[in-house]
């Protein structure tokens, strides 16, 4: 039998998972909706969605992904491969006494959600993707693709390549976690991102750092000082290595999922993206391919003049679109 849950306030819990534990926050009763955050965030990125989903009649559960917050942080880089994160998603559903769930993810959480739906359709009956479109497994080796994005003279380096070597990005971030996070959030927010034509904050100049291209002294409207306190406090306590290790497993994922090359996700699905979000615009071809790759797609919305952090930048609109989609799903 499903375990009872509260309806009027969020509750923090620790549940068993393959690496030890997953920390989650749940609110509401009804069909389970699992919310999976991206980089560099935590369960807190869903703070606006938890009460909205609970009020709409759902059991909303936001997790700290492995490596973040109060969830376990294994030491091995390989412990952050996608197969392990899918196993964590399944473990949370089982620990909550449920047999199935809808899974919704943002940023890296979108990739985790789509992989969970692809690999475990028996558990995940529908999937919602925010910011990062679904692209089926396959294609060229990721490290080779990202290494080629810096231009013919390698005057700059794509941020994913910059994140690959353990310790390199940490050395930039951890002396001033709060300042780095504030700059990273601002760089990808609609109201504070660099103007068109300015150096792209997704790239590192030769001999430089990512922070060199962050907007200076600008905080996006959605991010209060109290919100920044929460994020900074978590990463100052845990460090960034667990979070960055997700990027360091992309070639492992490519090999692990080779047997699913080109596979569609067939469950009912949702996509929400921001028109100013590079994660959405760079992968516009993936959105165009949805009739083939997401044949169960029932809703697709691009939020005008919205950046990367859409459930925090535009919480009311995201809540409306998400709850409408959930309410329309088959029982």
């Amino acid at each position: 039998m499903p375990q009872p849950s509260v309806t009027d306030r969020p509750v923090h819990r620790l549940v068993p998972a393959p690496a030890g534990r997953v920390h989650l926050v749940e609110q509401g009763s009804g069909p389970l909706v699992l919310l999976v955050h991206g980089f560099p965030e935590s369960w807190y990125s869903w703070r606006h969605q938890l009460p909205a989903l609970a009020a709409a009649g759902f059991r909303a559960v936001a997790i700290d992904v492995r490596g973040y917050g109060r969830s376990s942080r294994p030491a091995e880089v390989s412990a952050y491969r996608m197969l392990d994160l899918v196993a964590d998603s399944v473990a949370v559903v089982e620990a909550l006494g449920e047999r199935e769930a809808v899974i919704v993810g943002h940023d890296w959480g979108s990739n985790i959600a789509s992989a969970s739906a692809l690999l475990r359709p028996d558990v995940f009956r529908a999937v919602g993707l925010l910011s990062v479109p679904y692209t089926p497994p396959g294609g060229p080796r990721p490290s080779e693709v990202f290494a080629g994005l810096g231009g013919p003279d390698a005057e700059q380096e794509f941020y994913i390549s910059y994140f690959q070597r353990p310790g390199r990005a940490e050395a930039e971030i951890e002396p001033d976690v709060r300042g780095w996070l504030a700059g990273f959030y601002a760089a990808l927010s609609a109201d504070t991102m660099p103007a068109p034509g300015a150096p792209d904050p997704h790239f590192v100049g030769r001999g430089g750092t990512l922070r060199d291209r962050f907007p200076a002294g600008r905080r996006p409207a959605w991010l209060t000082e109290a919100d920044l306190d929460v994020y900074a406090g978590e990463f100052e306590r845990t460090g960034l290595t667990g979070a960055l290790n997700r990027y360091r497993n992309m070639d492992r994922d490519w090999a692990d999922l080779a047997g699913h090359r080109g596979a569609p996700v067939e469950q009912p699905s949702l996509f929400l993206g921001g028109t100013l979000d590079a994660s959405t615009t760079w992968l516009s071809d993936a959105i165009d391919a949805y009739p083939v790759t997401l044949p169960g797609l029932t809703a697709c919305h691009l939020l005008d003049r919205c950046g990367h952090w859409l459930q925090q930048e535009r919480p009311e609109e995201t809540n409306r679109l998400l709850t409408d989609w959930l309410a329309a799903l088959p029982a």
Side-chain angles (χ1 to χ4, degrees), residues 158-247:
F158 194 50
Y159 78 102
I160 293 178
S161 296
Y162 178 70
F163 285 169
Q164 290 305 303
R165 189 171 77 238
R168 185 184 181 195
E170 288 93 328
E172 172 189 343
I173 301 168
E174 293 188 359
D176 178 19
V177 170
R178 182 187 179 87
W180 193 92
L181 290 173
F184 191 81
Y185 297 146
L188 306 185
S189 296
D191 59 339
T192 50
M193 63 176 52
D200 191 332
H202 295 87
F203 290 84
V204 178
R206 181 178 291 180
T209 66
L210 271 177
R211 188 170 185 166
D212 295 339
R213 298 185 176 188
F214 292 167
R218 304 179 67 192
R219 179 167 52 81
W222 63 266
L223 183 71
T224 68
E225 290 293 340
D227 294 333
L228 186 55
D229 285 343
V230 172
Y231 285 125
E234 288 290 81
F235 287 110
E236 286 167 353
R237 179 176 58 82
T238 66
L240 271 292
T241 296
L244 289 164
N245 279 344
R246 173 82 288 272
Y247 291 92

Side-chain angles (χ1 to χ4, degrees), residues 62-80:
I63 67 169
D64 279 337
V65 172
R66 178 186 297 214
Y68 290 80
R70 294 168 58 193
S71 293
S72 292
R73 300 188 303 279
E76 300 82 6
V77 173
S78 62
Y80 296 85

Side-chain angles (χ1 to χ4, degrees), residues 46-71:
W46 301 104
R47 62 195 177 281
H48 303 297
Q49 284 66 54
L50 288 167
L53 295 185
F58 296 94
R59 185 183 187 185
V61 174
I63 67 169
D64 279 337
V65 172
R66 178 186 297 214
Y68 290 80
R70 294 168 58 193
S71 293

Side-chain angles (χ1 to χ4, degrees), residues 8-266:
D8 60 341
R9 60 185 179 85
V11 172
H12 292 253
R13 298 177 59 183
L14 297 174
V15 299
R21 67 179 182 275
V22 167
H23 168 245
L24 59 84
V25 181
E26 69 169 310
Q27 188 168 359
S29 296
L32 177 60
V33 180
L34 187 63
L35 304 170
V36 187
H37 67 81
F39 176 89
E41 300 176 280
S42 73
W43 75 268
Y44 189 75
S45 68
W46 301 104
R47 62 195 177 281
H48 303 297
Q49 284 66 54
L50 288 167
L53 295 185
F58 296 94
R59 185 183 187 185
V61 174
I63 67 169
D64 279 337
V65 172
R66 178 186 297 214
Y68 290 80
R70 294 168 58 193
S71 293
S72 292
R73 300 188 303 279
E76 300 82 6
V77 173
S78 62
Y80 296 85
R81 66 207 312 155
M82 186 60 73
L83 294 180
D84 289 328
L85 300 180
V86 170
D88 287 346
S89 298
V90 173
V92 169
V93 174
E94 294 176 347
L96 293 173
E98 303 281 1
R99 298 182 62 183
E100 63 178 16
V102 176
I103 188 167
V104 178
H106 169 254
D107 184 76
W108 263 120
S110 177
N111 295 97
I112 297 169
S114 61
S116 297
L118 176 66
L119 299 178
R120 294 301 305 267
D122 57 316
V123 176
F124 299 104
R125 64 185 181 93
V127 57
L129 310 177
L130 277 61
S131 293
V132 177
Y134 175 62
T135 56
R141 184 181 296 272
S143 61
E144 297 173 357
V145 173
F146 298 129
L149 293 179
D153 299 323
E155 288 297 324
Q156 55 183 4
E157 183 179 14
F158 194 50
Y159 78 102
I160 293 178
S161 296
Y162 178 70
F163 285 169
Q164 290 305 303
R165 189 171 77 238
R168 185 184 181 195
E170 288 93 328
E172 172 189 343
I173 301 168
E174 293 188 359
D176 178 19
V177 170
R178 182 187 179 87
W180 193 92
L181 290 173
F184 191 81
Y185 297 146
L188 306 185
S189 296
D191 59 339
T192 50
M193 63 176 52
D200 191 332
H202 295 87
F203 290 84
V204 178
R206 181 178 291 180
T209 66
L210 271 177
R211 188 170 185 166
D212 295 339
R213 298 185 176 188
F214 292 167
R218 304 179 67 192
R219 179 167 52 81
W222 63 266
L223 183 71
T224 68
E225 290 293 340
D227 294 333
L228 186 55
D229 285 343
V230 172
Y231 285 125
E234 288 290 81
F235 287 110
E236 286 167 353
R237 179 176 58 82
T238 66
L240 271 292
T241 296
L244 289 164
N245 279 344
R246 173 82 288 272
Y247 291 92
R248 296 163 182 160
N249 278 277
M250 299 183 77
D251 282 354
R252 287 188 181 92
D253 298 339
W254 178 78
D256 288 342
L257 299 175
H260 299 273
R261 181 183 181 91
V265 170
E266 299 183 349

